[in-house]
Amino acid sequence: MSAPGEHSVLESVRLDDAWALVEELAELVRESGTEDERRAVGAITSRLEAWGVPHRVYEPVCLISLPRAAGLTVGGRAYAAKTPSMARSTGPEGWTARLVYERGAFAEKVDEIFAAAPGEADVAGKFVLTEGFPMPGTVVQLEERGAAGVVCISPGERIHEGICTPVWGSPDLATYSRKPAIPVVSVSRSDGLAIVEQAEAGGVAATIVAEHEEGWVPIPVVVAEIEGAVEPERFVLLHGHLDSWHVGVGDNATGDATLLEVARVLYEHRDRLPRSVRVAWWSGHSHGRYAGSTWYADEHALDLERNCICHVNCDSPGCRDADVFEDVCWSAELADFARDAIRDFAGLPAEGRSPLRAGDISFQNLGIPTFFMLSSTMPAELRRERGLYAVGGCGGNVEWHTEADTLEIADRDRLLRDMRLYAGAVFRAAALPLHPLDLRLTVAQIDEAARGYGEVVDVRPARAALESLYESAAGVETIEDARPFNDALLRASRELSRVLYVRGGRYRQDPALDAPLLPDFAAAAAAAGTVPNGVVETELRRARNRLEGALQRAAEAARL
C-alpha cells in the first residue's frame, strides 16, 4: 500500500537542519523544567518559526524528580552510586539498615528490562541487594515485601540513570500512594560483586544516601500542527521526549531532530497531506515518568479519542551501529502497516512485539493504537560479539542513560535513513484513504491470548463483521467516501485496544509495570493460590464480561 506523494516527501528529507540541532542539543543537559531544557525548546521553536510551521508551547505543572546526590556505604566502605528519579529521599545523613543479597538477573532482551520476578527471602526491614536496573517492577515488589531500601547492581561498569516509580505521569488520588516510599540506589557491576561478598558474609550494615530535587514545576510541551487539506480534524500524532539524562544525544536528541525534520518536510508538502499531523516534543519523560505526554493525553482526551488515527513514538533513531529493526513495538492492527513501512522506506525487514508499558505510550487507555516506539538498533549478534547487555534506547549502545551518551553515539547516515522512515510512515498513515488499521489481526491476537489463559471466547461475530467492513471498503478511493468506514474502524479499534492492553479506566493510566495481553485475565491467573478461589472466579467473570462486551461493541461498530 502506498499514498500519492510519498516519493516527493522522501526526496525532501535532508540532514543539515537535523544534524545542526543534534549538535546544539549535545551541549545541553536537558533536565525537565530547567534552563537548559528551555534553551532546547528555543532551538526547536526558532526553526519552526523560521519555516512558518504553526506550533504552540504549553507549560503544564507536573511532578518532577531530579536526582541530586547518592552514596552507599557497606561495612564502613564507601561506593559510588546513583539514585533513580522518584525514589525516596533520605537527606544527607542517609538511612541505615542491614543489607541482604537476593539473586536477580540481568536482562538479555529489551522487554526483560521491565519485568521482575518476586523472590521469597525475608527482606522485611532490610536493604536488598540485587542485579538489574532500578525499574518499577523490582522496586514495587521489594517494597511490598517490606524492604527498607534497594541497591541495584548495574549490568556493566557504567551506572545508568533511571526512574523507579510505577505511577504513570503526575499522580492522582488513585495513584499518589504508589510512589516509592523507600530509597533506591545503583552501583557498578564490579562494586556490586564486592558488595555481594560483604552481604553474604552476613550481618553487614549499609547506609544509603539518596537526595532529589522534587516538586510540582512547569515543564514545556511543544506541539506543531500541520493541518490536512481534506479532513483536518483527523490526525496522526508523532512524538518524542525532549528532556534527557546528561546531554542524551542518542536518547533522545536524534529523536528530537527527527521530529523537527518531519515537521519541516510535511509542512512543505502540506498541500499533499489530506489529514493533519501533530508533532510533539514532551518534557517530563525521564524525570516525571512520561508526565508531559500524560498531561497531553488528559488535556486533549476527547479530541484524541475521537480523531487520532494512531500515535508514533520516536525514541533513539539514527544511532551508531543501529542497522536492524528487531525491537519495534506495534499494536496488532498496525503490525503489517509498520512492517511494510520499514521495508519500503528503510529497505529492511522488521520484527516486532506488542507495545511495552514504556516510552510515552500514554494513549493506550484512550484506545489509540501505536507503532515503532524504539527505532533501529544494533544487531543482536553484534551486541553479543562485543559483550554488551540489553538497554532501553540509544540504538542498543550501552551509553544509554549515562554521561557517555554524547555526540559519538549519533550517526549521520543512519539518522538520514531513519528520518526518511518516520516521514514516509507518518505521511502514509495520514494520507491513505482507509485508515491503516487491520482489526482482524487484533481479534486474532485476542483469541490467541484468551486461549493462553484457558479461555474460549467466541470472536466469530466480530471477525465476520470486520471482514464484511473491509470487503465493502475495498474499492474506496477518496477520503470523503472512506469516512463512514474509518469512523467504524476507530470505534471498533478503541474497544478492542482497551480490552487487549489495559485494565484501568478510559481516562486513567495503568501503572508502568509489565503488562501482559488481556491484563484482566493475567491478573486473575497471577492471583490464583494467593487469595480464595471465589475471589479469582469473581475476577474472571468480570474479565469475561468486559472482553465479550468489547467484542460485541466492536462488531456493532463494524456493521454500517
Side-chain angles (χ1 to χ4, degrees), residues 171-224:
D172 57 17
L173 288 174
T175 61
Y176 181 68
S177 62
R178 298 177 189 168
K179 185 179 178 294
I182 57 176
V184 182
V185 294
S186 293
V187 297
S188 70
R189 186 164 189 172
S190 60
D191 283 349
L193 292 174
I195 299 169
V196 168
E197 291 183 6
Q198 290 179 273
E200 289 188 324
V204 66
T207 299
I208 291 176
V209 174
E211 297 184 80
H212 306 79
E213 181 184 331
E214 186 170 304
W216 293 81
V217 299
I219 61 173
V221 169
V222 182
V223 182

Side-chain angles (χ1 to χ4, degrees), residues 69-83 90 94-99 127-130 149-153 159 183-188 191-192 194-196 198 205-210:
L72 176 68
T73 302
V74 182
R77 179 179 171 185
Y79 295 92
K82 290 182 178 179
T83 182
T90 64
W95 289 13
T96 300
R98 181 186 170 200
L99 182 70
F127 293 159
V128 181
L129 173 69
T130 191
V150 180
V151 180
C152 289
I153 304 172
I159 307 174
V184 182
V185 294
S186 293
V187 297
S188 70
D191 283 349
I195 299 169
V196 168
Q198 290 179 273
T207 299
I208 291 176
V209 174

Side-chain angles (χ1 to χ4, degrees), residues 13-30:
V13 176
R14 66 193 187 206
L15 184 63
D16 292 352
D17 299 301
W19 191 257
L21 182 65
V22 171
E23 291 180 322
E24 194 167 342
L25 297 187
E27 302 295 324
L28 300 173
V29 177
R30 303 180 307 282

